[in-house]
């Protein structure tokens, strides 16, 4: 036996490269596989093992060995002999060997990085840093929520057990009582109106305490002393809360369904408490409650909507739902198939219900749904997802932002929306305003509930806002002296710069213009004083009056209030008036000392009426009721819409390039509105600057007040004492479904500005794009991009690696393949996807076919517009072709992320390799003894029997108890160990074939690691259920086929077997599969991320098929493996 020199690593690579070439002879008649691998019947002949022979090979012998073909599959290895090969006389054997070696491609280090890859990575890192930096430091909304205090007492209903629900061992029901206010603190008796609080993802039942405490305090301190409210049916609220053991509903659809089922059973139990005289302290003359008010936070709001779709839902047991920061439109993450399917079923149910023409066919006709979003401060759930425009018509619900709510005027993050003191007061007062204990449903009618919610949550300036003035009857008789009261000439403005100068009440009359004025008119009035209700003794009261001819003998007692300002003179005018205080709109005070809209100062009072609302009136009476001089001001006028509304026709591209500049003239109305239809995207942020008025030091009554608003959803932001402000919005957002009702046109953002026109100076307004601030808006809308787009890059890298391997037998490194992809396939695919994005936007922008319109005038499944609610699910979900560049942008970012992860995995495997080498290191005397042995240990792979048993046990556990996501995590850990051993083996042998295997195992590991985050959320839910001793398995996560290819591939790689080369036409299947994976990850990966696991699983099945095609398999051989296990030291020698 001849000894092979240990220093001939290049020659060894040459032998392996030549041996890997396909054999020309097919005369053996044996059926061939679709790979080019030739295998020997000797066991472990295809295992990566190191052979240390004791022979010395001369150059001539080595050359002859290099040209000797390996035995074919039907040959049996014999004792090694060397038959001389006669070479041509003109060619020197040693030179031929050197030429052969020089033609072999040089292997790159896995750490090598080309200039192109380095440049792309640096650009990617800079873009990622800019996005994160912008998100956390730019275009930030101010925080204005105030803390609150409470003294909670929680009473658990232990008798709500397994007789009522199968979830009694997992969930619990509590009743809240406020210490110091509620009587019988430890008594679980019910006495008010039931309200059920539903916590969100990983939420606690104790989150009910801010709302429940405010309800108890407000009722006992205020309502209980108001006999009129008690007669109207207002009672205290019994707040119930559910302990879900901090279940994670955002990641798991089955958990969401379980909670909805439990809540329906909890509602039935709660209602039964009011029917039991031993548990209820309500007045027996009142009807028993038949419905419960639901308040849901985050995913709790989605669970509340799900309840109405469940089979165990009791009809009409829920009629009012208020949600806070709830993602109604689409799931926050799409890693679980069940959550995506559940969302689709819920939303389809609600759309189908509201598409019915007749109320009798609509199971949700009596339900009102209010969705409240926190705005830009919510960094957990995008506030765009809180929109109800695609689910509920405005007759049954709407979406509003906390920054729009009167007297709140601040954004709220995902948790502070629960305890924000200003906002919780509005929630509680609105709920107490809709309750009616005299009705079985415990609430007012649906139409009345909607009026109450609009009054509490909307600014009052929206088109759907309802004015109470037209529905009122005159309640005040105003008597004026003809000569002592001023009548403002028609078309002039009333300005009061102080109150009480006359020492007695004084009325200022503004004549109302005739109806039908060209261009439209509206009345506006603003003051820094509160407007008085009839009978109060404030400084200012506003009445809308018409002449009332009092006949002789006619009693003036028709009016509840009489205001005589005639001083007893005979020549007087009598007016029948309505008080306008119920329609007052509160605005943040804007003075020279103002900083934020939520400052604790007296707000401005504002009235706004369209001329049509004042058709039955002739005068507006602004009454100064102060008896002595006091500071304050008031301003009132009638203005034309042509003067107060400025429509801009500037396009988006011009707006982004050059900005916008306006000069509002000095003879402007008090309120000026600038409408910018092109400004509608939630992905862009702007800077708005307002020029300072040259009004002197003391002449300005108030500083400019700016309101930024959208008509749908109802988002308003107020900026006081405005000079320069950040403008960002929640308008048209990616992936959002289209609205139920088609809009006549895109109104975009409107800027409404109140400024003091008495300064008689013009105001400059400028708007420009904030590029750094806009980058941060990509973070919330495209967080899932990093779960999908990197798979595009990895799939193309693997495609290039397999293509090169099948052609020349070299499995290149991940970095080398990345460099090649950056030069060819990746730019081409990203360019194609960009064109596809433009095409999809252009086609979806076409007006849908219109069917017969129903009486509600909004689209539906059968009677209105035929709407495709999933048309924005593809690619990046953009509805504007302008954003086509986001695809190559995120593609570039994904390249950098993949490169970073590649080097991170390299670093981890190299560190583990060092530890592994240290653990298996032998003493020096054993090393010397090993050198004298003819062979060395192999790849240290486990036996086939052990691998089969391990895989079988794991698959059995998946089919019965553990979810396949757990098995996938185990597979990733095993693959990491395989890469570690492969790296150590390749570094010791310096063999090309061993480096092939290491590069192959490394790339598979990188691919699996990118799929791992898709599986982790469900795994977290499973571990959480184990922690709370809930052992019921998931019905949707025990599909063995979802994990079997991964397990087989990983177990195959643990044996050290390199995948055979495919030289036939079947190699195009590998190419096509990776290309399809890349395309799917780009088009559907964000909306349907859970399918990425199954696609990679299918690719793994194909790789397993290639592995098995290069080895013999029979039932007898399998039984032999299971009967006996090969000893670890038994290693066959290479012939």
């Amino acid at each position: 036996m001849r000894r092979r020199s240990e220093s001939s690593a290049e020659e060894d690579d040459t032998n392996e490269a030549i041996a890997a070439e396909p054999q020309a002879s097919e005369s053996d008649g044996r059926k061939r596989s679709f790979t080019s691998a030739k295998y020997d019947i000797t066991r472990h002949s295809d295992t990566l093992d190191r052979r240390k022979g004791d022979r010395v090979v001369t150059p001539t012998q080595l050359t002859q060995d290099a040209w000797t073909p390996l035995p074919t599959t039907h040959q049996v290895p014999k004792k090694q002999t060397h038959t001389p090969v006669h070479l041509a006389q003109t060619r020197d054997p040693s030179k031929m060997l050197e030429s052969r070696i020089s033609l072999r491609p040089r292997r790159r280090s896995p750490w090598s990085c080309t200039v192109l890859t380095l440049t792309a990575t640096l650009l990617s890192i800079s873009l990622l840093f800019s996005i994160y930096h912008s998100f956390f430091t730019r275009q930030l909304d101010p925080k204005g929520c105030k803390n609150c205090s409470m003294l909670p007492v929680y009473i658990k209903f232990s008798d709500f057990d397994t007789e009522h629900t199968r979830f009694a061992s997992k969930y619990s029901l509590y009743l809240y009582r406020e210490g110091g206010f509620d009587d019988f603190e430890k008594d679980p008796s019910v006495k008010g109106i039931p309200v059920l609080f539903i916590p969100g993802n990983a939420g606690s039942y104790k989150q009910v305490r801010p709302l429940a405490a405010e309800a108890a305090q407000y009722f006992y301190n205020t309502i209980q002393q108001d006999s009129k409210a008690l007669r109207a049916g207002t009672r205290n609220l019994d707040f119930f809360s559910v302990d879900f053991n901090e279940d994670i509903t955002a990641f798991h659809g089955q958990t969401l369904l379980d909670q909805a089922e439990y809540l329906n059973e909890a509602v039935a139990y709660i209602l039964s408490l009011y029917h039991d005289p031993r548990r209820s302290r309500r007045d027996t003359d009142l009807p028993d409650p038949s419905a419960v008010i639901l308040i849901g936070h985050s995913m709790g709001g989605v669970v509340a909507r799900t309840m109405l779709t469940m089979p165990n839902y009791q009809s009409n047991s829920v009629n009012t739902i208020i949600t806070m920061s709830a993602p109604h439109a689409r799931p926050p993450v799409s890693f679980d198939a069940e959550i995506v399917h559940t969302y689709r079923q819920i939303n389809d149910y609600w759309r189908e219900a509201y598409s019915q023409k007749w109320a009798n066919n609509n199971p949700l006709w009596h339900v009102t749904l209010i969705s409240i979003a926190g705005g830009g401060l919510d960094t957990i759930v995008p506030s765009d997802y809180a929109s109800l425009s695609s689910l509920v018509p405005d007759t049954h619900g709407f979406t509003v932002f906390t920054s729009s709510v009167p007297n709140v005027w601040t954004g709220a993050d995902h948790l502070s929306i629960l305890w924000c003191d200003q906002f919780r007061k509005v929630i509680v007062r609105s709920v107490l305003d809709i309750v009616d204990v005299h009705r079985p449903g415990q609430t007012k009618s649906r139409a009345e509930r909607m009026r109450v919610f609009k009054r509490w949550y909307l600014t009052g300036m929206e088109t759907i806002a309802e004015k109470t003035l037209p529905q009122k009857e005159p309640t005040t008789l105003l008597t004026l002296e003809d000569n002592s009261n001023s009548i403002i000439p028609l078309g002039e403005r009333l300005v009061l710069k102080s109150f009480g100068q006359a020492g007695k009440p004084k009325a200022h009359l503004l004549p109302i213009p005739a109806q039908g004025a060209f261009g439209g008119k509206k009345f506006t009035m603003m003051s820094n004083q509160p407007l008085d209700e009839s009978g109060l003794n404030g400084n200012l009261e506003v009445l809308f009056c018409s002449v009332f001819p009092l006949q002789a003998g006619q009693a003036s007692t028709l009016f509840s209030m009489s205001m005589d300002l005639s001083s007893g003179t005979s020549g007087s005018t009598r007016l029948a008036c309505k008080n306008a205080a119920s329609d007052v709109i509160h605005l943040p005070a804007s003075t020279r000392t103002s900083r934020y809209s939520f400052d604790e100062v007296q707000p401005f009072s504002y009235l706004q009426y369209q001329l049509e609302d004042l058709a039955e009136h002739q005068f507006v009476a602004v009454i100064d009721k102060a008896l002595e001089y006091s500071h304050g001001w008031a301003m009132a006028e009638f203005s034309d819409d042509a003067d107060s509304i400025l429509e801009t026709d500037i396009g988006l591209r011009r707006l982004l390039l050059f900005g916008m500049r306006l000069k509002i003239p000095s003879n402007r109305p008090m309120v000026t509105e600038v409408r910018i239809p092109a400004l509608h995207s939630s992905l862009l942020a702007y800077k708005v600057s307002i020029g300072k008025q040259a009004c002197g030091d003391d002449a300005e009554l108030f500083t400019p007040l700016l309101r930024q608003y959208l008509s749908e959803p109802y988002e308003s932001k107020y900026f006081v004492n405005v000079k320069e402000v950040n403008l960002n919005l929640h308008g048209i957002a990616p992936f959002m479904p289209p609205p139920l009702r088609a809009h006549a046109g895109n109104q975009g953002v409107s800027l409404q500005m109140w400024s003091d026109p008495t300064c008689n100076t013009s105001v400059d307004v400028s708007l420009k794009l904030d590029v750094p601030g806009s980058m941060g808006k990509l973070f919330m809308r495209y967080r899932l991009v990093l779960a999908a787009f990197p798979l595009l890059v990895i799939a193309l890298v693997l495609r290039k690696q397999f293509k090169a391997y099948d052609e020349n037998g070299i499995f290149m490194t991940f970095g080398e393949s990345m460099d090649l992809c950056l030069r060819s396939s990746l730019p081409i695919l990203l360019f194609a996807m960009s064109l596809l994005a433009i095409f999809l936007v252009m086609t979806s922008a076409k007006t849908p076919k219109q069917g017969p319109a129903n009486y509600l005038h909004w689209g539906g499944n059968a009677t209105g517009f035929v709407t495709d609610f999933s048309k924005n699910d593809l690619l990046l979900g953009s509805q504007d072709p302008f954003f086509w560049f986001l695809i190559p942008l995120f593609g570039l970012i994904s390249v950098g992320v993949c490169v970073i992860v590649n080097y991170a995995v390299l670093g981890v495997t190299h560190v583990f390799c060092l530890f592994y080498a240290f653990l298996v290191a032998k003493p020096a005397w054993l090393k010397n003894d090993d050198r004298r042995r003819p062979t060395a240990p192999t790849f240290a792979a486990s036996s086939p029997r052990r691998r089969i048993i391990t895989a079988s046990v794991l698959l059995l556990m998946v089919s019965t108890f553990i979810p396949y996501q757990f098995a996938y995590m185990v597979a990733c850990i095993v693959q990491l160990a395989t890469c570690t051993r492969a790296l150590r083996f390749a570094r010791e042998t310096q063999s090309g074939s061993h480096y092939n295997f290491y590069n192959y195992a490394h790339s598979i590991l990188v691919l699996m690691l990118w799929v791992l985050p898709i599986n982790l959320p469900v795994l977290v839910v499973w571990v959480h259920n184990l922690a709370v001793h809930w052992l019921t398995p998931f019905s949707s996560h025990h599909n063995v086929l979802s994990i079997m290819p991964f397990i087989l591939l990983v177990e195959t790689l643990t044996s050290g077997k390199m995948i055979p080369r495919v030289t036939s036409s079947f190699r195009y299947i590998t190419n096509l599969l990776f290309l399809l994976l890349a395309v799917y990850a780009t088009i559907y990966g964000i909306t349907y991320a859970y399918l990425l696991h199954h696609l990679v699983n299918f690719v793994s099945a194909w790789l397993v098929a290639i592995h098995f095609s290069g080895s013999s398999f029979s039932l007898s051989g399998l039984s032999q493996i299971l009967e006996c296990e090969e000893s670890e030291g038994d290693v066959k020698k290479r012939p």
Side-chain angles (χ1 to χ4, degrees):
M1 179 180 296
R2 288 169 292 181
R3 182 182 301 274
R4 178 178 298 179
S5 174
E6 293 183 2
S7 61
S8 58
E10 295 290 341
E11 291 84 352
D12 182 58
D13 289 350
T14 304
N15 287 333
E16 293 169 355
I18 297 174
E21 294 180 357
Q23 302 294 327
S25 175
E26 300 182 7
S27 59
D28 54 357
R30 185 184 180 94
K31 183 177 179 180
R32 303 184 61 187
S33 66
F34 57 81
T35 67
S36 62
K38 297 295 183 284
Y39 51 86
D40 192 87
I41 62 174
T42 305
R43 183 177 299 178
H44 293 319
S45 63
D46 55 354
T47 302
L48 298 180
D49 54 353
R50 180 174 48 169
R51 314 300 182 190
K52 290 186 178 181
D54 55 355
R55 59 187 176 90
V56 178
V57 184
T58 63
T60 304
Q61 292 170 336
L62 184 59
T63 305
Q64 292 171 353
D65 288 346
W67 284 93
T68 303
L70 289 177
T72 57
T73 56
H74 65 280
Q75 293 174 328
V76 180
K78 302 178 181 179
K79 185 176 181 180
Q80 187 173 5
T81 59
H82 291 275
T83 305
V85 179
H86 300 283
L87 304 175
Q89 296 289 334
T90 58
R91 302 186 65 179
D92 182 53
S94 61
K95 293 182 179 180
M96 179 181 293
L97 176 62
E98 294 175 359
S99 175
R100 186 75 175 182
I101 295 175
S102 64
L103 292 176
R104 183 177 55 83
R106 182 177 63 88
R107 294 185 178 274
R108 287 187 180 181
S109 168
W111 293 96
S112 63
C113 182
T114 63
V115 176
L116 178 60
T117 304
L118 179 61
T119 303
T121 304
L122 292 178
L123 286 176
S124 171
I125 294 174
S126 62
L127 287 172
L128 270 179
F129 176 80
S130 300
I131 291 174
Y132 280 92
H133 182 267
S134 173
F135 177 73
F136 289 107
T137 61
R138 295 180 179 272
Q139 290 282 336
L140 301 181
D141 295 337
K143 298 180 181 180
C145 283
K146 301 177 180 63
N147 292 324
C148 55
S149 60
M150 68 285 295
L151 187 60
V153 177
Y154 304 97
I155 303 174
K156 183 178 180 180
F157 290 96
S158 301
D159 56 342
F160 186 47
D161 51 18
T162 53
E163 294 183 1
H164 298 85
T165 174
R166 64 188 180 99
F167 298 101
S169 62
K170 185 180 182 182
Y171 303 143
S172 303
L173 181 65
Y174 287 85
L175 174 65
Y176 182 92
R177 288 291 182 244
E178 177 67 8
F181 287 90
D182 284 312
D183 297 330
F184 313 107
E185 293 180 4
K186 297 297 183 180
D187 184 2
S189 299
V190 293
K191 51 188 176 180
I193 296 174
V195 179
L196 178 59
F197 174 79
I198 308 173
N201 180 63
S204 170
Y205 69 97
K206 296 181 179 180
Q207 290 175 321
V208 70
R209 60 186 183 271
L211 295 174
E214 173 62 24
Q217 296 169 14
Y218 182 71
F219 177 80
Y220 289 110
N221 290 336
T222 304
I223 299 295
Q224 201 169 37
Q225 283 74 40
D226 188 350
S227 59
K228 181 180 179 181
L230 294 176
R231 288 194 302 270
T234 305
R235 294 292 186 275
N236 63 319
L237 304 177
D238 289 331
F239 267 91
F240 298 85
S241 185
V242 181
D243 182 11
F244 284 137
N245 271 312
E246 300 182 358
D247 256 349
I248 306 175
T249 51
F251 299 154
H252 197 236
Q254 186 58 49
T255 301
L256 189 149
L257 295 175
D258 291 347
Q259 290 187 1
E261 180 183 344
Y262 175 82
L263 287 173
N264 279 327
E265 293 160 346
V267 167
Y269 174 81
I270 291 171
L271 294 177
S272 69
L273 296 177
Y274 293 86
H275 300 167
D276 187 354
R278 298 170 300 176
R279 310 292 293 272
S280 175
R281 294 182 178 271
R282 284 167 54 100
D283 189 346
T284 56
D285 295 334
L286 297 176
D288 292 329
S290 62
V292 176
I293 300 173
L294 301 182
I295 298 179
H297 172 246
S298 186
M299 290 300 295
V302 181
V303 175
R305 288 178 50 231
T306 309
M307 293 170 58
L308 280 66
T309 69
M310 300 295 291
N312 67 335
Y313 169 67
Q314 182 179 337
S315 180
N316 297 329
S317 61
V318 173
N319 58 29
T320 303
I321 303 176
I322 300 175
T323 67
M324 296 173 284
S325 300
H328 292 292
R330 58 182 288 112
V333 292
S334 58
F335 293 164
D336 176 46
E338 196 70 23
I339 193 73
V340 176
H341 296 159
T342 301
Y343 255 86
R344 183 185 298 114
Q345 293 172 0
I346 297 169
N347 291 347
D348 287 346
Y349 178 88
W350 281 68
R351 291 170 184 144
E352 177 68 23
Y354 287 119
S355 69
Q356 303 301 318
K357 184 176 182 180
W358 305 109
N360 292 336
N361 299 328
N362 182 2
L364 305 177
W365 182 257
H366 64 289
V367 178
T368 54
L369 174 61
I370 308 300
S371 176
I372 306 169
L377 291 179
D378 191 345
T379 59
I380 304 298
V381 174
S383 290
D384 307 288
Y385 293 179
S387 174
L388 299 176
S389 61
S390 65
L391 300 170
V392 179
D394 54 16
T395 55
H396 290 70
F398 55 84
T399 306
V400 68
F401 286 71
T402 56
S403 58
S404 305
V405 179
N407 301 311
V408 178
W409 297 321
T410 179
D413 62 45
H414 198 67
L415 294 178
S416 67
I417 197 172
L418 285 169
W419 53 259
C420 184
D421 188 54
Q422 310 99 298
F423 180 63
R424 70 166 185 154
K425 291 178 180 178
V426 175
I427 289 282
V428 169
R429 284 159 177 74
S430 67
V431 173
L432 287 171
D433 209 359
I434 66 168
V435 299
D436 185 357
V437 75
H438 302 112
R439 297 167 60 97
Q442 302 298 289
T443 59
K444 299 175 181 177
S445 65
R446 178 190 55 80
E448 184 61 29
R449 274 179 278 147
M450 287 300 299
R451 293 190 191 98
V452 171
F453 287 139
K454 290 175 183 178
R455 184 170 67 250
W456 280 102
Y457 296 124
L458 300 184
T459 64
M461 293 175 280
E462 294 83 1
T463 55
I464 67 170
E466 300 179 10
K467 302 295 184 181
T468 62
L469 186 69
Q471 286 77 36
K472 282 185 175 182
E473 294 294 332
T475 57
T476 301
L477 179 62
L478 178 62
T479 304
L480 302 177
E481 184 178 356
D482 292 338
N483 299 325
S484 64
N485 297 279
S486 59
I487 298 179
I488 307 299
L490 186 64
E492 291 190 7
R493 177 185 299 119
L494 168 66
V495 179
L496 299 178
K497 296 189 176 182
S498 62
F499 293 97
Q501 287 184 344
K504 62 179 181 177
K506 182 177 181 180
H508 304 271
L509 298 183
L510 281 79
I512 297 177
Q515 297 292 321
F518 177 77
K521 282 183 176 291
K522 63 182 177 183
F523 169 78
T524 56
M525 195 283 301
M526 188 164 70
S527 174
N528 63 347
Q529 300 294 312
L531 299 189
D532 278 358
E533 294 276 0
S534 297
L536 298 182
N537 297 320
N539 290 338
L540 182 64
E541 186 171 348
V542 178
L543 303 173
F544 287 85
C545 307
S546 56
V547 176
F548 182 76
L550 185 62
Q551 302 296 331
Q554 184 177 4
S556 61
T557 57
L558 298 174
F559 303 95
S560 61
M561 183 66 188
S562 178
M563 185 180 297
D564 189 356
L565 304 182
S566 63
S567 301
T569 60
S570 58
S572 59
T573 302
R574 293 175 177 84
L575 301 176
C577 302
K578 301 177 182 178
N579 189 285
S582 59
D583 288 332
V584 69
I585 299 171
H586 287 166
L587 296 178
S590 181
T591 63
R592 294 189 177 184
T593 59
S594 299
R595 295 187 59 193
Y596 300 109
S597 57
F598 47 81
D599 290 339
E600 296 186 56
V601 294
Q602 174 68 39
F604 288 171
S605 300
Y606 179 68
L607 289 175
Q608 177 177 300
Y609 292 98
Q610 295 297 322
L611 191 59
E612 293 79 8
D613 298 330
L614 309 178
E616 62 183 58
H617 305 288
Q618 295 156 350
F619 295 97
V620 180
V622 179
I623 303 176
D624 175 6
K625 301 196 300 181
L627 300 179
E628 58 184 15
Y629 178 84
S630 62
H631 293 285
W633 55 266
M635 190 178 298
E637 65 180 2
F638 284 91
S639 59
D640 295 328
D641 289 344
D643 298 330
S644 60
I645 299 178
L646 303 179
E647 294 275 0
T648 61
D649 57 355
I650 185 173
L652 178 62
R653 288 155 184 80
R654 184 177 177 183
L655 181 67
L656 300 181
L657 291 176
F658 306 105
M660 183 190 70
R661 294 181 180 274
L662 293 175
K663 181 180 288 292
I664 302 178
S666 57
N667 58 343
R668 63 187 179 276
M670 176 179 60
V671 185
T672 307
E673 183 174 339
V674 181
R675 296 177 178 174
I676 315 173
L679 204 158
H680 58 262
S681 175
S682 61
L683 298 178
L684 299 175
Y686 304 85
K687 292 281 189 180
V688 178
S689 299
I690 306 295
K692 184 178 181 180
Q693 298 185 91
C695 205
D697 294 334
D698 301 321
E700 196 172 35
L701 296 179
F702 61 95
T703 56
L705 170 65
L706 183 67
R707 173 192 174 218
Q708 163 210 328
Y709 76 93
L710 286 170
S711 57
E712 190 171 318
Y714 299 113
E715 180 186 24
S716 295
K717 293 182 180 180
Y718 293 94
F719 305 96
V720 297
N721 194 18
V722 60
K723 299 178 179 64
E724 182 176 275
V725 297
N726 296 323
L727 193 153
N728 54 79
L729 59 143
H730 293 84
I732 298 179
F735 305 109
M736 290 297 294
L740 279 176
R741 181 177 58 187
H743 300 294
N746 177 29
Q747 298 179 358
V749 167
S750 296
L751 301 178
Q752 194 172 14
M753 185 178 69
W754 290 263
S755 59
D756 185 0
T758 61
C759 292
N760 200 27
T761 58
S762 60
V763 177
D764 294 327
V765 179
S766 64
L767 182 146
K768 62 180 180 179
L769 176 68
D770 182 8
V771 177
S774 299
M775 299 190 70
K777 303 307 171 186
L778 300 176
F779 178 84
M780 286 298 296
R781 278 80 180 187
Y782 289 117
R783 289 181 297 181
L784 294 184
V785 165
L786 293 183
F789 267 50
L791 273 178
L792 153 73
V793 179
I794 294 174
L796 292 181
V797 169
L798 277 163
R799 171 179 170 270
K800 182 69 69 176
Q801 286 178 306
F802 275 97
K803 183 178 180 181
Y805 175 66
D806 290 336
E807 290 176 354
N808 56 37
I810 301 297
F811 203 95
M812 65 180 68
T813 64
F814 189 93
E816 184 179 358
S817 180
M818 174 71 76
D819 179 69
L820 295 177
C821 289
L822 286 174
R823 300 176 187 274
S824 56
S825 56
L826 187 58
I828 294 175
L829 184 58
L830 291 177
F831 177 74
M833 293 296 102
S834 302
L835 295 180
L836 178 61
I838 297 175
F839 173 77
L840 291 176
V841 173
M842 299 297 289
T843 54
S844 64
K846 296 180 180 180
T847 304
K849 294 182 179 180
Q850 184 177 2
N854 60 7
Y855 71 102
L856 287 178
H857 302 289
W858 47 267
N861 294 341
T863 59
F865 288 96
V866 180
T867 305
D868 180 13
F869 292 101
S870 62
K871 68 178 183 178
N872 298 323
D873 289 347
L874 306 182
L875 291 171
L876 294 180
S878 176
Q879 305 174 39
D880 193 331
F882 171 79
F883 295 103
W884 65 269
F885 65 89
L886 290 180
I887 293 180
L889 175 70
F890 285 119
L892 178 61
I893 291 176
S894 299
V895 168
V897 172
C898 289
V899 171
I900 294 173
V901 170
N902 172 52
Y903 283 115
V905 174
L906 283 174
V908 170
T909 53
H910 278 71
V911 171
F912 284 0
C913 181
L914 294 177
F915 281 105
Y916 181 67
F918 175 78
L919 293 176
V920 301
K922 297 181 180 180
W925 63 272
L926 288 177
K927 293 181 180 180
N928 295 330
D929 184 64
D930 287 343
R931 291 192 184 99
R932 293 191 293 269
R933 295 181 180 179
T935 60
T938 64
F939 187 73
S942 60
S943 66
R945 177 185 179 185
R946 185 176 303 172
R947 294 199 302 272
I948 292 175
I949 294 176
T950 302
S952 301
V953 170
L954 193 57
L955 292 175
L956 179 62
M957 294 179 66
V958 168
S959 63
T960 56
F961 179 65
I962 66 173
Y964 69 78
Q965 288 84 357
F966 180 84
Y968 185 84
M969 185 185 68
V970 173
C972 290
I973 297 174
V974 173
Q975 183 64 17
L976 177 61
T978 300
C979 287
T980 302
R981 292 187 291 123
L983 175 62
R984 175 177 178 269
F985 197 56
R987 292 173 66 177
E988 288 188 356
T989 61
Q990 293 296 315
S991 170
S993 60
H994 300 157
Y995 273 111
N996 272 354
F997 177 75
Y998 168 68
N999 293 335
Y1000 168 53
H1002 172 82
S1003 297
I1004 295 297
L1005 175 61
V1006 173
L1007 176 64
M1008 294 178 65
L1009 288 179
W1010 274 116
V1011 183
L1012 182 61
I1014 299 176
N1015 294 281
L1016 283 180
V1018 175
L1019 184 60
V1020 171
V1021 174
W1022 179 70
V1023 173
H1024 174 269
N1025 283 349
L1026 292 181
V1028 298
H1029 308 292
W1030 183 255
L1031 304 180
T1032 303
F1034 300 149
S1035 60
S1036 57
H1037 301 294
H1038 295 278
N1039 187 356
V1040 175
L1041 296 180
S1042 297
I1043 193 60
M1044 180 183 292
F1046 283 114
I1047 294 178
L1048 293 178
L1049 179 61
V1050 169
E1051 287 295 332
T1052 302
L1053 292 180
T1054 58
S1055 66
K1057 294 183 179 181
M1058 181 60 186
I1059 188 169
R1061 292 171 59 193
V1062 182
T1063 57
S1064 64
S1065 57
F1066 284 98
R1067 68 180 182 273
Y1068 297 113
I1069 297 180
T1070 307
N1071 195 316
L1072 181 62
L1073 286 178
F1074 282 111
L1075 182 61
L1076 290 177
L1077 175 60
V1079 173
Y1080 181 90
T1082 311
I1083 299 178
Y1084 295 99
I1086 299 177
T1087 303
Y1088 306 101
Y1090 66 92
L1091 282 176
L1092 294 175
H1093 169 92
H1094 301 290
L1095 288 178
V1096 177
N1097 184 54
F1098 186 79
V1099 173
S1100 300
W1102 173 250
L1103 297 181
V1104 170
I1106 297 177
H1107 273 285
F1108 286 172
S1109 69
S1111 60
S1112 59
F1113 177 81
S1114 65
L1115 293 178
S1116 60
L1118 178 61
S1119 62
Q1120 184 179 2
I1121 291 175
L1122 295 175
E1123 289 174 0
C1124 61
E1125 184 174 351
E1126 179 187 12
S1127 62
E1128 294 182 1
D1130 186 13
V1131 180
K1132 301 292 183 179
K1133 296 182 180 180
R1134 183 180 299 173

